[in-house]
Amino acid sequence: MATVDYRQRLKPRFAALGIIVVGILGVLLVRLWTMQVLFGETFAAQAEDNRIHEIPLDAARGRILDRKGRPLVTNRAALAVTVEPGAKDDRPLVDDLSALLGIPADEIEERLSSVREAALKPRVVAVDVPMRVVAYLEENSERFPGVEAAVVAVRDYPGGSTAAHVLGYTGEISERELVQADLTGYRLGDTVGKSGAERQFETVLQGDRGYRRIEVDARGRPKGVIEEIEPVPGRDVRLTIDLDVQEVAEKALADALEEARAQRFPKAKAGAVVAMDVRSGEVLAMASAPTYDPGLFLGGISSREWKRLNDEGSEYPLNNRAIMAAYPPASTFKLVTGAAALDAGIASEWTTYRCSGKWSGMGEQWSKYCWNRSGHGSVSFRRGIQDSCDTVFYEIGYAFYKRGEEEIQEVARRFGYGAPTGVDLPGEVGGRVPDAAWKKKFNENYPEAAVWVPGDTVNMAIGQGDMLATPLQLAVSYAAIANGGEVLRPRVLDAVLDVDGKAALQGERRVERDLKLSRGRIGVLRRGLRDVTTGGTAAAVFRGFGTTVEGKTGTAEVNKKDDYALFVGYAPAENPRYVVAAVVEQGGHGGSVAGPAARSVLGKLLGLSTERVHATDVSR
Amino acid sequence: MRREGIGRIRARANLPLLLVVTGLTVYGTVVVRSATSGMPGADGMIGRHVLGLAIGLVPLLVAWALDYQKLKGWIGPLAVLNALLIISPRIPGLGDTAKGATSWLQVAGFRLFQPSEPAKLITIVIMAAVISGFKGRIEQPRDVLRVLAHLAVPLTLILMQPDLGTGLVFVAITLGMLLVGGLRPRWFLVFALVGVLVTGVVLKAGLLEDYQEDRLLVFVDPARDPLGAGYNLAQSKIAIGSGGISGKGLYSGTQGNLNFLPERHTDFVFAVLGEELGFLGVVGLLALYLGLLVVSLEVATSSRDLFGALIAAGLISMWAFQILENVGMTVGIMPITGIPLPFISFGSSFMVTNLAGTGMLLSVWARRYGA
């Protein structure tokens, strides 16, 4: 039969069709097994990512308060203009915006092409936009596609530039900062503290970001909120800074600069004043000139503005000179040299020296002069401090050189020189205590200048040469004399506050080192310092002050610059509480420029007059 | 031989086939219901799906009752009808264009059906008649050409629509029938070579529109068209993969419900199934398909004549290819072409075709002993 014939003959072909069919289903099965069973979790995660968008909810940044709880930095809502990043290719739009906002077009383009923000996030191009600009934008919205007015939270500085250097400023996190250990978990576009307390206490001020997790469809349209985690606002930080003292310090510094310029020192533009509690190390005021307005950084600083702030011609206003600038301490360092001399037994209170105005102890060809060319005559050690007689300290320096040990350096380091004080602010420099090893390394390529010579020690003895110190180091070292020998770690943190305003974390008094000077020797030094303000180089400054001050003037010679004026002192002498250090770059003499500034600040601290005094000092 | 009552029905009805088809259509209805939920007009859509099933019962019963052998005498008219059907959407006023292809027959704004769907069945019948004429030995090139000539007409017309996916179904049907119909194996090699050559020439010569090329090649290189075909593929894979072993549950698929999946009730319905019912659901479906194809193969081998066996072989080829292509495209191992999943996808034309095909199998089965 034909049918049977076909069937028999075609059987292998049906089998082949069957094998193909089973093969197809098998291939699909294997593929599905790998996708669903082997890699199911990977795909499940992708499906979740698809479905859920996280909208970060920024936490309110903590405030920064002064020691009495007065706000130094708070937050406020500001009207801002945001622009979609794609708009940067729309030249007419950028030009229109430029005209409307009064921002150069390239400035706007720069903001829009910043890679520092999430790719599609609208960029803030201007904050504190006038209401009429917002109204104009809204009326002409079709002319400004992708441009929106928004309310954003920004930092508010009730005091303007007051304490700007201590407070610091905030800005968008940079890519470099993103990898820093204490900033893990931050994202592009986040605001972080860039300097000062804003940077130092960043992790406390920041708070915890919240999230709103929303389910979205394929077009990104929200379908519902899955969960919401409230942001936890940042903690408030209370500083040891006293706003009233700070204001006086800034005013005193500004006055000192003005005074200096009036006194034939026209280049006086920069300086610093620090006030500290000698018993606790709390910094009560820290002023640096020139200053800047942290508000400039709101909504991103323009590159032009940034350039200006980092330019030599503007004297680098962002620098906090109290901790970032190191100056020759000049005669203020005689305290340290004196302490070393007493400690080494080279001098005592009444050891007598002969000052003819010219000192040739190292040989005639190496003669040096006292600031008082006519000579102080016969001076005691104590008198040497009072009148800041260079000859006395040349002698001491030379004696130390001949002893062969670097004893002045050793004592200077005990006082806290040559290393950062450890103050809780970023960017502090350590100054410099020069010694033979340092000189060798520093002049590696100039072997003829690499050898430590007697003049080095002699120069150092009067705080000149290569010796450098920050104003804060000066304050800390004098505080150590004032408090009987404790070298404290200065600090600006009083407390981190809880939501209820209670202190969650308290700044702690910390003794870094002890001067290891006997009470008697400290007493000699203190009497010398007291003589300075009562009958010495700063006598005119503190005349009629109301309480006794112990301190030292200094006038630093700086290569190719006018003299720098310095004063460090503490009061009241009977029971010292506050130390103030003042440095005025190219301001002339310590007694005439820096001293009066210190007097005003001490006056404020002690509840005395803060009146500006005029004094003339020609010492160094 | 005459039988009475239950016995007669049992003899004429292939119960396993009916069970498998019932299982598939029920499964399909459940999945389509889930896939369309949340879409605008969801209730109407599931209604239309069920209506398509009901309408499909008519050709099923007619084909079952009809003696398939009589079709052999109508080859000429069927060939003409076939061509007319496929051309019909081109006739002004009758056609409707969707996704670039003019493949719908539309009257007074009502979409009736896709003529290429019944054309698949008519082509199967024509091919079966032609191939069975060679009595299981297709050896002469002349014979091969005769078969291909009968394929050429409908295939050309389909490709002109243009509907590449459906065209490939016609090719697959013909190849399957030639396999069973006795074509010598060396010819398959020739076909394979020609196929590769033609594909290469078409791609190189840029005969395809960019979007067509993207869809064909995106499974090899998902970056080709990341927002178009590549997006569809990526979302489909995510849906299926994220289903895991037991799935997210019916109506709980996030990919589908949040519109990440394109064409989720038609071409990509398998992705919804994979996401919501997981590997277990997928295995269930493939088991039903295995059942369908094995039962169909049994019908083919038990056919009393080569014509009936070839009809069965054509249906098996059609289903097997559509399963491979549709599931394969959703999991990224086949090009993306708009081919629905047999008995599952939303869409009445194809459902009716599948049910009519089932009727044809039943007809072959019912007459396996007949004279």
Side-chain angles (χ1 to χ4, degrees), chain B residues 83-144:
Chain B
L84 282 177
L85 264 178
I86 303 175
I87 291 172
S88 61
R90 290 274 163 191
I91 299 168
L94 289 183
D96 183 30
T97 304
K99 288 174 228 149
T102 310
S103 59
W104 282 85
L105 192 62
Q106 173 177 290
V107 173
F110 278 98
R111 273 185 173 190
L112 292 180
F113 61 98
Q114 277 181 295
S116 55
E117 288 299 338
K120 287 175 189 166
L121 296 182
I122 295 171
T123 304
I124 287 173
V125 170
I126 294 170
M127 284 290 173
V130 173
I131 294 173
S132 64
F134 303 117
K135 306 213 183 316
R137 288 182 199 279
I138 311 171
E139 289 167 1
Q140 303 300 319
R142 179 168 47 103
D143 299 344
V144 179

Side-chain angles (χ1 to χ4, degrees), chain A residues 3 7 13 31 50 218, chain B residues 179 183 235 255 303-304 331:
Chain A
T3 315
R7 282 190 189 167
R13 291 173 173 269
R31 172 74 177 175
N50 251 345
Chain B
L179 170 66
L183 186 72
Q235 296 300 340
Q255 287 285 105
S303 166
R304 69 174 176 185
V331 296

Side-chain angles (χ1 to χ4, degrees), chain A residues 3 6-7 9-10 13-14 18 21 24-25 29 31-33 35-36 40 43-44 46-47 50-51 216-218, chain B residues 135-136 179-180 182-183 235 238 240-242 244 254-255 258-260 274 279 282 293 297 302-304 306 331:
Chain A
T3 315
Y6 294 137
R7 282 190 189 167
R9 196 150 46 77
L10 296 179
R13 291 173 173 269
F14 284 115
V21 163
I24 287 173
L25 295 178
L29 192 70
R31 172 74 177 175
L32 288 160
W33 184 77
M35 281 173 69
Q36 299 191 297
F43 283 111
Q46 288 181 18
N50 251 345
R51 176 170 89 93
V216 295
D217 69 8
Chain B
K135 306 213 183 316
L179 170 66
V180 170
L183 186 72
Q235 296 300 340
I238 290 173
I240 294 169
S242 68
T254 55
Q255 287 285 105
L258 297 170
N259 289 321
F260 288 100
F279 189 63
V282 162
L293 296 170
L297 212 54
S302 59
S303 166
R304 69 174 176 185
L306 189 53
V331 296

Side-chain angles (χ1 to χ4, degrees), chain A residues 395-432:
Chain A
E395 286 284 350
I396 293 172
Y398 193 50
F400 271 116
Y401 179 78
K402 284 186 291 192
R403 283 161 69 97
E405 299 287 329
E406 296 182 329
E407 286 167 275
I408 302 182
Q409 285 90 336
E410 195 263 316
V411 172
R413 291 193 185 100
R414 263 197 260 156
F415 269 91
Y417 293 100
T421 62
V423 68
D424 44 0
L425 285 174
E428 189 191 14
V429 300
R432 181 201 294 152

Side-chain angles (χ1 to χ4, degrees), chain B residues 43 53 55 146-147 156 158 187 191 227 306 317:
Chain B
D43 293 345
L53 276 171
I55 291 171
R146 246 188 88 194
V147 176
T156 309
I158 295 268
W187 279 101
F191 288 158
L227 296 176
L306 189 53
S317 306

